[in-house]
Amino acid sequence: MSNMINITIDGKKVQVPAGSTILQAAQTVGIHIPTLCHLDLHDIKMVNQTASCRICVVEVEGRRNLAPACATPVAEGMVVHSNTLKVMEARRTVLELMLSDHPKDCLTCAKSGECELQDLAELFNIRNIRVSGTSMSTYKKDISPSIIRDMDKCIMCRRCETMCNQVQTVGALSAVNRGFDAVVATSFEAPLNETVCTYCGQCVQVCPVGALTEHDSTWEVVEALNDPDKIVVVQTAPAVRAALGEEFGLEPGSLVTGQMAAALRRLGFDYVFDTDFAADLTIMEEATELVDRLTRHLNGEDVPLPLLTSCCPAWVNFIESQYPELLDIPSSARSPQQMFGAIAKSYFAEKLGVRRDQMVVVSVMPCLAKKYEATKFEDDNNQDVDYSISTRELANLIKRMNMDLKELPEEDFDDPLGESSGAAVIFGKTGGVIEAALRTAYEWVTGETLENVEFEDIRSTSYGLKVAHIKVGDLTLNIGISSGLGNARALLEEIKAGNPNNLHAIEIMACPGGCVNGGGQPYAHGDMKKIQARQAALYREDCGKPIRKSHENPSIKKLYEEYLVKPNSEKAHHLLHTQYTAKERV
C-alpha cells in the first residue's frame, strides 16, 4: 500500500500509515517508549504533542541528534533504536534536570502514587541527582474551593493547557515566561476564582504530577463525623458507584452501589442517602419547565428555547462567564447536589426535629466543580451542602479506615431520601439527563404510558455533538446533546445564530463522556475504555431498577404531597431553583 511506511525499531520490522510518529509505530509492536508530556486522547480529539520533556528520545540512524519519538514522523526505511546506552543516559539526564527543580515532598504530595514523574524516577532508579544548583523556581500556591495549583511542581508538559484551550475551549491557562520561570499560568497570573476557569477539573485529570489537585476536604468531614452535636448525612452521585471500585482493584465499570452504602455507614454517617433521589426531584422540576415552555411556544408565545439542562456546575460557570447574553435559556432548576442539600436541611431536618445548623450535609461527587457550587447556596449563613468530596477522596477515606470495599456486604440506602429510579442513575452519563426528562415529559404530554423507556437515539459512546429527533405524540422534539465544553461552545454559537436546527432542548455536560469522566473520578490516564465501561455500568443499574421513571418514585410523590405541593410551586422555586448572573473574569 502506497500510504504505508516501513521502518525498523529495535530490530523489529514495522509497517504504519504515513504521518505516524515513531512513538505510534513502537506501540503497534509492543515496544514501550516512556513519555511524560505526551498524551493522546484521540476519542475526544486531544493530542498533547509539545515534545517539551524529551523523555521519549530515541536514536535514528543517519540523524546526528536524538529525536523525540512522540513528535518525529516516520520515513520509509527509517531505523530506530529506543534502548541504546546513549538514549538511556539522555533520559536519565532529562529526569535529573526536572527533579533538580522539583519539590521533594513526595510523602505529603496529593499525587503520590499517581505521579508519572515519580514513576519514571523509580523506573530509572534515580537515587541521587547529579545536577547541582542553589536556586529553585517558586510560585505562590493558588487555592480555590475546587482546585489547588502548586506550580512549584509544574514540569511544563502543558497537558492542562491543551485540555483547557483545545478540548474545553475555556482559555484559563497559558504557558508564560522562560527558563526557570517558565510555568503554565492564568491571565495576569490571577487566582483561579478570578478567571474564566469553570472548575471542570479536566486539567487535574491530565496533570502528570502534583501541580494540579483537588481541594481535599476529607479531614473536615472526619471532624464533623466526630462531633457528637452534629447529625451528618451523606449523598452519593450516580457516577461514583461506577468508578469507586477501581480504587480497590476492581475492573472499570464494576458497580459497587451496595458496598459503597455499607462503607459510608461504617465511616460513621448518621444517614446514608442517594443523590439519585434528588436527580428524580430535578426531573420533576426540569421536565415541568420543559413542558411549560413547549406548550407556550406551540401556543405562539415568545419563550426562551431551547431549554438547557442545568445539572452541571462547570457548564453553568461556562455560560455565566462566556455567554451572559444567553442566561435566560438554561433551566432554573438547581443541580441534584444542591436540591438534595436544600431538602435535607428543610424537609428532613424538620422530620428529625433539628435545626439546619445542627445538620452537616456531605456530598460524594465525581466532579470538582461541585466543591465550588456548594459554597454558593446557603440560608442564614449556613450552606445547604457543607462539604463536597470527590470519588478519589471517598476512596482515601475508606482506605484510611482500614476497610476493603470488595469485602463489604451490600447494603441499601436509608429512607426517605435514598429511594430513586433508573432514570436518576443515568444522570452520570452524557445524554442521561435529557433521556430521564423525556421519560417523564412523554407521559405528561401524551397521557400515555411509555412502555419502552430507553431512548436509543439519544445514547452515544462518542464525545462530540449529537442531535436526536424524538417523537412525543404529534410533536417531534429536536434534542441537542453536548459532551465537553468545546462542543457546548459550538451549540451555543448555533443558538446565537438563530437556532437554525430548531432545537427544543439541549443537555450539556462539561466533562467528555459525562460525570463518569469527571475531574474527581479515579484517574483514567487517557484510557477512554474505562470511561465507556463506567457508562455501561450505569445503564445496567438503570435496567435493574424496579422503577425507571422519576415521576413514579414513591418518595418523590410523598415529598410533594407533604411539603412542596407540586413541581414549580412557590416553595419548590424557593428551595430548588436559582438565578444566573453574568460573571466578568479574566
Side-chain angles (χ1 to χ4, degrees):
M1 297 173 62
S2 58
N3 62 339
M4 300 298 287
I5 302 295
N6 297 284
I7 69 170
T8 303
I9 307 178
D10 295 344
K12 292 185 178 182
K13 302 292 184 181
V14 185
Q15 189 177 67
V16 292
S20 300
T21 63
I22 294 174
L23 179 64
Q24 291 170 326
Q27 290 168 341
T28 64
V29 288
I31 294 175
H32 174 68
I33 298 176
T35 61
L36 196 54
C37 67
H38 179 77
L39 185 63
D40 185 353
L41 302 180
H42 60 275
D43 288 319
I44 58 173
K45 300 179 176 61
M46 173 192 168
V47 180
N48 191 60
Q49 208 167 17
T50 56
S52 59
C53 73
R54 278 338 201 233
I55 290 295
C56 68
V57 290
V58 294
E59 276 195 83
V60 178
E61 289 188 7
R63 180 166 171 165
R64 180 179 177 182
N65 298 324
L66 296 177
C70 71
T72 303
V74 296
E76 184 63 35
M78 178 183 279
V79 178
V80 179
H81 303 283
S82 74
N83 54 5
T84 65
L85 292 175
K86 182 179 179 181
V87 167
M88 292 301 105
E89 183 63 24
R91 291 176 184 168
R92 176 190 177 193
T93 300
V94 167
L95 274 172
E96 288 179 331
L97 285 168
M98 285 185 180
L99 293 169
S100 72
D101 188 37
H102 198 83
K104 310 301 186 291
D105 60 352
C106 293
L107 285 175
T108 56
C109 179
K111 278 282 181 77
S112 183
E114 292 281 359
C115 175
E116 295 177 40
L117 181 63
Q118 188 182 60
D119 291 343
L120 284 171
E122 178 65 25
L123 176 66
F124 282 85
N125 197 35
I126 295 178
R127 298 293 179 259
N128 296 294
I129 299 173
R130 296 171 295 173
V131 180
S132 61
T134 57
S135 64
M136 290 179 62
S137 54
T138 57
Y139 307 91
K140 184 178 179 180
K141 187 178 287 189
D142 181 9
I143 301 176
S144 75
S146 294
I147 296 170
I148 294 177
R149 295 174 63 248
D150 187 354
M151 291 298 101
D152 286 351
K153 298 176 181 177
C154 178
I155 59 171
M156 282 299 289
C157 69
R158 303 177 70 175
R159 289 187 189 180
C160 60
E161 181 184 1
T162 300
M163 175 59 77
C164 187
N165 298 339
Q166 294 184 21
V167 179
Q168 300 294 69
T169 69
V170 173
L173 300 172
S174 180
V176 298
N177 303 329
R178 292 181 179 275
F180 271 97
D181 294 326
V183 69
V184 176
T186 59
S187 297
F188 308 109
E189 300 189 36
L192 274 183
N193 59 8
E194 296 178 9
T195 73
V196 293
C197 176
T198 66
Y199 300 118
C200 71
Q202 288 302 301
C203 59
V204 176
Q205 273 287 346
V206 299
C207 179
V209 292
L212 293 164
T213 57
E214 68 259 47
H215 191 149
D216 190 290
S217 300
T218 52
W219 280 116
E220 288 90 337
V221 172
V222 170
E223 288 174 1
L225 290 169
N226 273 309
D227 189 338
D229 297 324
K230 298 292 185 182
I231 294 173
V232 188
V233 304
V234 64
Q235 57 165 317
T236 62
V240 175
R241 69 205 65 198
L244 179 63
E246 295 171 33
E247 293 282 343
F248 297 87
L250 295 175
E251 288 296 314
S254 298
L255 282 167
V256 294
T257 311
Q259 292 94 335
M260 176 179 63
L264 290 166
R265 205 162 273 122
R266 284 156 179 74
L267 282 171
F269 288 99
D270 296 298
Y271 295 93
V272 179
F273 291 136
D274 196 353
T275 311
D276 287 12
F277 169 87
D280 281 333
L281 184 58
T282 301
I283 290 303
M284 297 296 288
E285 297 295 320
E286 206 161 70
T288 298
E289 194 173 359
L290 174 61
V291 171
D292 175 66
R293 287 200 204 181
L294 285 173
T295 301
R296 291 191 289 126
H297 170 68
L298 294 173
N299 289 334
E301 291 186 43
D302 184 18
V303 294
L305 285 176
L307 178 139
L308 308 183
T309 61
S310 54
C311 297
C312 172
W315 138 240
V316 170
N317 290 339
F318 183 77
I319 194 171
E320 285 185 329
S321 63
Q322 307 227 6
Y323 289 90
E325 68 273 25
L326 298 179
L327 289 180
D328 61 330
I329 296 178
S331 164
S332 64
R334 297 184 190 181
S335 74
Q337 170 182 268
Q338 295 308 138
M339 284 196 183
F340 180 94
I343 292 299
K345 288 198 174 182
S346 57
Y347 172 71
F348 188 60
E350 288 178 21
K351 278 185 170 294
L352 296 181
V354 300
R355 302 187 314 272
R356 64 174 287 130
D357 61 357
Q358 291 177 275
M359 182 178 287
V360 175
V361 174
V362 178
S363 68
V364 184
M365 294 286 142
C367 170
L368 300 189
K370 292 290 184 183
K371 293 173 176 285
Y372 168 82
E373 182 188 46
T375 67
K376 298 303 175 184
F377 292 89
E378 62 179 35
D379 194 359
D380 291 333
N381 295 316
N382 178 259
Q383 289 181 195
D384 292 339
V385 175
D386 296 276
Y387 304 107
S388 181
I389 65 173
S390 68
T391 308
R392 293 191 297 267
E393 288 173 85
L394 174 59
N396 288 334
L397 261 180
I398 294 171
K399 293 172 184 176
R400 210 176 296 166
M401 292 289 285
N402 199 28
M403 288 186 283
D404 185 351
L405 191 76
K406 303 190 299 294
E407 302 301 321
L408 294 176
E410 293 191 22
E411 297 181 6
D412 292 328
F413 292 107
D414 293 319
D415 289 328
L417 310 186
E419 187 172 23
S420 61
S421 73
V425 79
I426 60 175
F427 263 55
K429 182 207 177 294
T430 287
V433 176
I434 199 67
E435 179 176 345
L438 284 172
R439 292 180 186 182
T440 291
Y442 182 95
E443 295 197 354
W444 285 354
V445 170
T446 65
E448 302 172 357
T449 299
L450 180 65
E451 300 295 343
N452 181 11
V453 300
E454 296 169 0
F455 289 86
E456 296 292 344
D457 289 346
I458 285 177
R459 298 183 176 187
S460 174
T461 57
S462 65
Y463 305 98
L465 292 170
K466 185 168 186 177
V467 175
H469 307 285
I470 307 297
K471 288 289 291 182
V472 178
D474 296 329
L475 176 66
T476 298
L477 282 183
N478 302 318
I479 308 294
I481 301 156
S482 166
S483 175
L485 290 175
N487 294 316
R489 184 180 294 278
L491 276 178
L492 294 175
E493 290 295 336
E494 181 178 313
I495 295 171
K496 285 180 64 177
N499 193 17
N501 286 324
N502 191 30
L503 295 174
H504 297 108
I506 295 176
E507 178 198 296
I508 294 178
M509 290 286 182
C511 297
C515 303
V516 288
N517 190 27
Q521 291 281 71
Y523 295 112
H525 298 296
D527 186 355
M528 300 311 289
K529 290 182 180 178
K530 287 185 178 180
I531 310 307
Q532 293 169 351
R534 297 171 189 172
Q535 293 172 335
L538 297 184
Y539 283 135
R540 290 200 309 275
E541 182 154 315
D542 168 33
C543 289
K545 286 275 193 175
I547 300 169
R548 300 186 68 187
K549 302 165 189 172
S550 296
H551 59 286
E552 294 180 351
N553 182 341
S555 293
I556 292 293
K557 291 180 181 179
K558 187 176 181 180
L559 174 63
Y560 280 103
E561 290 170 2
E562 293 183 350
Y563 200 69
L564 296 175
V565 184
K566 64 179 182 179
N568 275 252
S569 67
E570 182 178 347
K571 192 161 194 174
H573 256 280
H574 172 68
L575 290 171
L576 309 178
H577 290 254
T578 186
Q579 292 181 329
Y580 304 108
T581 56
K583 291 183 172 62
E584 292 187 8
R585 295 172 174 171
V586 295

